Amino acid sequence: MPGRSVPSRRTLLKGAAVAPVAAAGAAACSPGATSASAPTGPVELGAESEVVRGGAKLYRDHNVVVSRDGAGTLKAYSSICTHAGCAINKLEGTELVCPCHGSMFDATTGKVLRAPATEPLQPLTVETKNGKLVAGPQA
């Protein structure tokens, strides 16, 4: 066709290389785009002694965070961000930081500390069995 240029092989290859990266980036911003999920049944996390009074521990392999208040009461939450479903992989003291968009959550209450998330973390049950922490969905 006259007046219409044909793209070079190099241009086509560049476009083919960029497309999967762009698609992955767009998918990461979509709700539910990640394969991470909260436990669907009870999971053994580790020794009860790993969670100190006034502190929290992030169990990345199970997408769970467990905290213990000053009185010794344990609480557990899913560590899946309620904004876009990303697995939270960073715990600073008792604050969880989502790597996808920077949402922050309080690991002791599940409450949102910084947007873009607006919903608190999903609470989980947590108990001690034979010195081990076991967490799972609430009944």
Side-chain angles (χ1 to χ4, degrees):
M1 291 178 141
R4 188 169 170 186
S5 65
V6 176
S8 71
R9 181 171 186 248
R10 181 176 290 187
T11 301
L12 289 174
L13 289 174
K14 281 184 187 177
V18 172
V21 174
C29 291
S30 316
T34 179
S35 62
S37 63
T40 57
V43 292
E44 188 175 292
L45 301 173
E48 177 187 13
S49 59
E50 293 178 342
V51 183
V52 299
R53 287 181 187 250
K57 179 162 175 60
L58 178 60
Y59 296 90
R60 288 181 188 96
D61 292 347
H62 298 291
N63 296 317
V64 173
V65 64
V66 177
S67 65
R68 185 188 305 264
D69 67 16
T73 304
L74 294 166
K75 288 187 179 179
Y77 298 93
S78 164
S79 59
I80 301 299
C81 181
T82 58
H83 169 248
C86 296
I88 298 171
N89 62 5
K90 188 175 185 181
L91 177 66
E92 296 175 343
T94 58
E95 294 180 351
L96 294 159
V97 182
C98 180
C100 293
H101 303 105
S103 292
M104 289 182 69
F105 299 88
D106 184 330
T108 65
T109 64
K111 292 182 180 177
V112 176
L113 300 175
R114 182 172 68 202
T118 58
E119 296 295 319
L121 295 173
Q122 173 190 349
L124 302 171
T125 59
V126 63
E127 58 186 351
T128 304
K129 290 185 179 177
N130 300 321
K132 302 278 185 186
L133 293 172
V134 178
Q138 288 192 331

